[in-house]
Amino acid sequence: MNAKSSSIKRSEMSKKLFFYIGNIVIGLIFISPLLWMIASSFKPENDIFSNMTSLSTFIPFNFTLDNYLEVFSRLNIPQILFNTFAYIAIVLIGDLLFGSLCGYALAKMKFPCRGVLLTLVIALMSMPVEAILLPLYIEMSQLGWVNTLQGLTIPFMMNCFSIYMFYSYFLDIPGELLEAAYIDGCGPIRTFFKIVMPISKTVYATVFILDFVARWNDFMWPFLITTGEDKRTVQLAVQVFFGTQPIHYGSIMAALTLASIPMLILYIFMQKYYVQGIASTGIKG
């Protein structure tokens, strides 16, 4: 019996070992482009595309910081970061506040045309942003908001996907909890801010992550609406190195590495909230 039990344990340990090794190998394959980009940012220009067929391409043997020095010399990094974080902050505040209010109203309040509005929100989720960029730009131009912060931010302070995520999450909040708040004298607004928001941190964190990533990586809208270098965001700044001849791939890799750092930090500290939020909002494929 002991021998059989020991054999079963060894078999289970072997399965776990192969499982973990397989996951590590697959993970390394997926992050290999990121590792190569980081390594290339510390290489001289002539070394970047050498030894591409061997693992030595991931090691910067001739380590240098010249590529990063070029990035900081050609770009106004503080101004670019200020522009980008101001853009993200305004959009995030708007989407988290107004999107959650809309989602709560659709999930827990009864009013005329509620079903029509929910159907419209779901339908608009399938519309690509590119389809409305030109009309949106014309509208911003008519308002005189081209190359302004309000033109950059206001059109994206709410989006249908966020509203639907909040709606799906708020559906699971027990009605008895809201009724108890109403009996205690809380109106709809006070109930939302005092009861609903504190127990909905997961979905707020999920929307925060999705919005942050989308706005940080946004290129097309800032490219259309901003015309001056003083309004340039991170993704527009990176394109500077692609449009100047000759192209220096070392500085491009350095710029891309710097642009990736906030995403890596966000993932490290908030990955559990993202997984929990996706699981709890009913978006399961």
Side-chain angles (χ1 to χ4, degrees):
M1 184 69 180
N2 291 334
K4 184 177 181 181
S5 176
S6 177
S7 176
I8 293 174
K9 287 183 178 179
R10 284 197 297 268
S11 176
E12 291 178 352
M13 289 180 62
S14 298
K15 290 179 180 179
K16 287 183 179 180
L17 181 62
F18 282 116
F19 175 77
Y20 288 125
I21 292 176
N23 281 343
I24 291 172
V25 171
I26 293 173
L28 289 174
I29 291 173
F30 274 100
I31 68 170
S32 59
L34 177 65
L35 297 177
W36 182 79
M37 177 187 72
I38 296 173
S40 298
S41 69
F42 295 106
K43 293 180 180 180
E45 189 71 20
N46 295 332
D47 292 354
I48 292 177
F49 296 104
S50 62
N51 301 322
M52 289 289 292
T53 57
S54 68
L55 292 177
S56 62
T57 190
F58 294 98
I59 303 174
F61 291 104
N62 298 317
F63 185 90
T64 179
L65 293 175
D66 290 345
N67 298 321
Y68 288 92
L69 294 176
E70 182 179 355
V71 170
F72 280 93
S73 66
R74 293 179 61 179
L75 298 177
N76 186 351
I77 299 297
Q79 182 65 50
I80 291 169
L81 291 177
F82 175 80
N83 294 341
T84 306
F85 282 114
Y87 170 38
I88 292 173
I90 294 173
V91 171
L92 275 174
I93 292 171
D95 199 22
L96 291 174
L97 178 59
F98 301 128
S100 61
L101 285 170
C102 288
Y104 177 72
L106 290 171
K108 294 299 181 182
M109 300 178 71
K110 296 181 179 179
F111 53 89
C113 300
R114 171 177 169 271
V116 175
L117 289 176
L118 180 58
T119 302
L120 183 62
V121 167
I122 297 173
L124 289 175
M125 285 171 55
S126 63
M127 179 177 293
V129 177
E130 292 77 9
I132 63 170
L133 283 183
L134 183 57
L136 193 59
Y137 175 81
I138 295 174
E139 183 178 353
M140 295 299 104
S141 178
Q142 293 296 321
L143 291 172
W145 287 1
V146 174
N147 201 39
T148 63
L149 187 60
Q150 60 266 30
L152 183 64
T153 57
I154 288 178
F156 294 94
M157 288 180 68
M158 282 181 61
N159 72 76
C160 293
F161 184 74
S162 299
I163 293 173
Y164 185 75
M165 288 197 70
F166 283 116
Y167 163 80
S168 300
Y169 189 91
F170 293 152
L171 278 177
D172 294 330
I173 296 178
E176 294 80 4
L177 180 64
L178 304 181
E179 290 176 6
Y182 177 76
I183 293 172
D184 288 340
C186 291
I189 299 298
R190 188 179 178 187
T191 300
F192 177 79
F193 285 104
K194 295 291 186 179
I195 306 296
V196 176
M197 286 186 71
I199 64 174
S200 306
K201 295 178 182 178
T202 301
V203 69
Y204 277 95
T206 304
V207 173
F208 175 90
I209 294 169
L210 294 175
D211 269 359
F212 190 99
V213 172
R215 295 308 118 206
W216 183 268
N217 293 327
D218 193 9
F219 171 77
M220 185 58 68
W221 180 245
F223 177 75
L224 288 175
I225 202 67
T226 60
T227 58
E229 294 186 4
D230 59 322
K231 297 293 189 299
R232 184 182 289 166
T233 59
V234 164
Q235 300 306 322
L236 294 181
V238 170
Q239 294 301 311
V240 169
F241 296 96
F242 289 94
T244 305
Q245 298 293 335
I247 295 177
H248 294 153
Y249 288 98
S251 57
I252 290 175
M253 298 301 172
L256 292 174
T257 299
L258 291 173
S260 302
I261 290 175
M263 296 294 96
L264 296 175
I265 295 174
L266 187 71
Y267 174 77
I268 291 171
F269 287 101
M270 300 193 70
Q271 58 176 315
K272 68 174 182 179
Y273 297 106
Y274 176 74
V275 175
Q276 292 173 359
I278 291 296
S280 61
T281 50
I283 304 174
K284 302 177 182 177

CSV table of all heavy atoms in Angstrom, one decimal, residues 173-192:
chain,number,residue,atom,x,y,z
A,173,ILE,N,-25.7,42.7,-7.6
A,173,ILE,CA,-25.9,43.3,-6.2
A,173,ILE,C,-27.3,43.0,-5.7
A,173,ILE,O,-28.3,43.3,-6.4
A,173,ILE,CB,-25.6,44.8,-6.3
A,173,ILE,CG1,-24.2,45.1,-6.7
A,173,ILE,CG2,-25.9,45.5,-4.9
A,173,ILE,CD1,-23.8,46.6,-6.8
A,174,PRO,N,-27.4,42.4,-4.5
A,174,PRO,CA,-28.7,42.1,-4.0
A,174,PRO,C,-29.7,43.3,-3.9
A,174,PRO,O,-29.3,44.3,-3.4
A,174,PRO,CB,-28.4,41.5,-2.6
A,174,PRO,CG,-27.0,41.1,-2.7
A,174,PRO,CD,-26.3,42.0,-3.6
A,175,GLY,N,-30.9,43.1,-4.4
A,175,GLY,CA,-31.9,44.2,-4.3
A,175,GLY,C,-32.2,44.5,-2.8
A,175,GLY,O,-32.6,45.6,-2.5
A,176,GLU,N,-32.1,43.5,-2.0
A,176,GLU,CA,-32.4,43.7,-0.5
A,176,GLU,C,-31.5,44.7,0.1
A,176,GLU,O,-31.9,45.5,1.0
A,176,GLU,CB,-32.3,42.4,0.2
A,176,GLU,CG,-33.4,41.3,-0.1
A,176,GLU,CD,-33.0,40.6,-1.4
A,176,GLU,OE1,-31.9,40.8,-1.9
A,176,GLU,OE2,-33.8,39.8,-1.9
A,177,LEU,N,-30.2,44.7,-0.4
A,177,LEU,CA,-29.3,45.7,0.2
A,177,LEU,C,-29.7,47.1,-0.2
A,177,LEU,O,-29.6,48.0,0.6
A,177,LEU,CB,-27.9,45.4,-0.4
A,177,LEU,CG,-26.7,46.3,0.1
A,177,LEU,CD1,-26.5,46.1,1.6
A,177,LEU,CD2,-25.4,45.9,-0.7
A,178,LEU,N,-30.1,47.3,-1.4
A,178,LEU,CA,-30.5,48.6,-1.9
A,178,LEU,C,-31.8,49.0,-1.2
A,178,LEU,O,-32.0,50.2,-0.8
A,178,LEU,CB,-30.7,48.7,-3.4
A,178,LEU,CG,-29.5,48.2,-4.2
A,178,LEU,CD1,-29.8,48.3,-5.7
A,178,LEU,CD2,-28.3,49.1,-3.8
A,179,GLU,N,-32.7,48.1,-1.0
A,179,GLU,CA,-34.0,48.4,-0.3
A,179,GLU,C,-33.7,48.8,1.2
A,179,GLU,O,-34.4,49.7,1.7
A,179,GLU,CB,-34.9,47.1,-0.3
A,179,GLU,CG,-35.4,46.9,-1.7
A,179,GLU,CD,-36.3,45.6,-1.8
A,179,GLU,OE1,-36.5,45.0,-0.7
A,179,GLU,OE2,-36.7,45.2,-2.9
A,180,ALA,N,-32.7,48.1,1.8
A,180,ALA,CA,-32.4,48.5,3.2
A,180,ALA,C,-31.9,49.9,3.3
A,180,ALA,O,-32.2,50.6,4.2
A,180,ALA,CB,-31.4,47.5,3.7
A,181,ALA,N,-31.0,50.3,2.3
A,181,ALA,CA,-30.5,51.6,2.2
A,181,ALA,C,-31.6,52.6,2.0
A,181,ALA,O,-31.6,53.7,2.6
A,181,ALA,CB,-29.5,51.7,1.1
A,182,TYR,N,-32.6,52.3,1.2
A,182,TYR,CA,-33.8,53.2,0.9
A,182,TYR,C,-34.6,53.3,2.2
A,182,TYR,O,-35.0,54.4,2.5
A,182,TYR,CB,-34.6,52.6,-0.2
A,182,TYR,CG,-35.9,53.4,-0.5
A,182,TYR,CD1,-35.8,54.6,-1.2
A,182,TYR,CD2,-37.1,53.0,0.0
A,182,TYR,CE1,-36.9,55.4,-1.4
A,182,TYR,CE2,-38.3,53.7,-0.3
A,182,TYR,CZ,-38.2,54.9,-1.0
A,182,TYR,OH,-39.3,55.6,-1.2
A,183,ILE,N,-34.8,52.3,3.0
A,183,ILE,CA,-35.5,52.3,4.2
A,183,ILE,C,-34.8,53.2,5.2
A,183,ILE,O,-35.4,53.9,6.0
A,183,ILE,CB,-35.8,50.9,4.8
A,183,ILE,CG1,-36.7,50.1,3.8
A,183,ILE,CG2,-36.3,51.0,6.2
A,183,ILE,CD1,-36.8,48.7,4.2
A,184,ASP,N,-33.5,53.2,5.2
A,184,ASP,CA,-32.7,54.0,6.1
A,184,ASP,C,-32.6,55.5,5.7
A,184,ASP,O,-32.0,56.3,6.4
A,184,ASP,CB,-31.3,53.5,6.2
A,184,ASP,CG,-31.2,52.1,7.0
A,184,ASP,OD1,-32.2,51.9,7.7
A,184,ASP,OD2,-30.2,51.4,6.8
A,185,GLY,N,-33.3,55.8,4.6
A,185,GLY,CA,-33.4,57.2,4.2
A,185,GLY,C,-32.4,57.6,3.1
A,185,GLY,O,-32.3,58.8,2.8
A,186,CYS,N,-31.7,56.7,2.5
A,186,CYS,CA,-30.8,57.0,1.4
A,186,CYS,C,-31.5,57.1,0.1
A,186,CYS,O,-32.3,56.2,-0.3
A,186,CYS,CB,-29.7,55.9,1.3
A,186,CYS,SG,-28.5,55.8,2.7
A,187,GLY,N,-31.3,58.2,-0.7
A,187,GLY,CA,-31.8,58.3,-2.0
A,187,GLY,C,-30.9,57.6,-3.0
A,187,GLY,O,-29.9,57.0,-2.6
A,188,PRO,N,-31.3,57.6,-4.3
A,188,PRO,CA,-30.5,56.8,-5.3
A,188,PRO,C,-29.1,57.2,-5.4
A,188,PRO,O,-28.2,56.4,-5.5
A,188,PRO,CB,-31.3,57.1,-6.6
A,188,PRO,CG,-32.6,57.5,-6.1
A,188,PRO,CD,-32.5,58.2,-4.8
A,189,ILE,N,-28.8,58.5,-5.3
A,189,ILE,CA,-27.4,59.0,-5.5
A,189,ILE,C,-26.6,58.6,-4.3
A,189,ILE,O,-25.5,58.1,-4.4
A,189,ILE,CB,-27.4,60.5,-5.7
A,189,ILE,CG1,-28.2,60.9,-7.0
A,189,ILE,CG2,-26.0,61.0,-5.8
A,189,ILE,CD1,-27.6,60.3,-8.2
A,190,ARG,N,-27.2,58.9,-3.1
A,190,ARG,CA,-26.4,58.5,-1.9
A,190,ARG,C,-26.2,57.0,-1.8
A,190,ARG,O,-25.1,56.6,-1.3
A,190,ARG,CB,-27.2,59.0,-0.6
A,190,ARG,CG,-26.4,58.9,0.7
A,190,ARG,CD,-27.2,59.4,1.8
A,190,ARG,NE,-26.5,59.2,3.1
A,190,ARG,CZ,-27.0,59.5,4.3
A,190,ARG,NH1,-28.3,60.0,4.4
A,190,ARG,NH2,-26.3,59.3,5.4
A,191,THR,N,-27.2,56.2,-2.1
A,191,THR,CA,-27.0,54.8,-2.1
A,191,THR,C,-25.9,54.3,-3.0
A,191,THR,O,-25.1,53.5,-2.7
A,191,THR,CB,-28.4,54.1,-2.6
A,191,THR,OG1,-29.4,54.5,-1.7
A,191,THR,CG2,-28.2,52.6,-2.6
A,192,PHE,N,-25.8,55.0,-4.2
A,192,PHE,CA,-24.8,54.6,-5.1
A,192,PHE,C,-23.4,54.9,-4.6
A,192,PHE,O,-22.5,54.1,-4.6
A,192,PHE,CB,-25.0,55.4,-6.5
A,192,PHE,CG,-23.9,55.1,-7.5
A,192,PHE,CD1,-23.9,54.0,-8.2
A,192,PHE,CD2,-22.9,56.0,-7.7
A,192,PHE,CE1,-22.9,53.7,-9.2
A,192,PHE,CE2,-21.9,55.8,-8.6
A,192,PHE,CZ,-21.9,54.6,-9.3
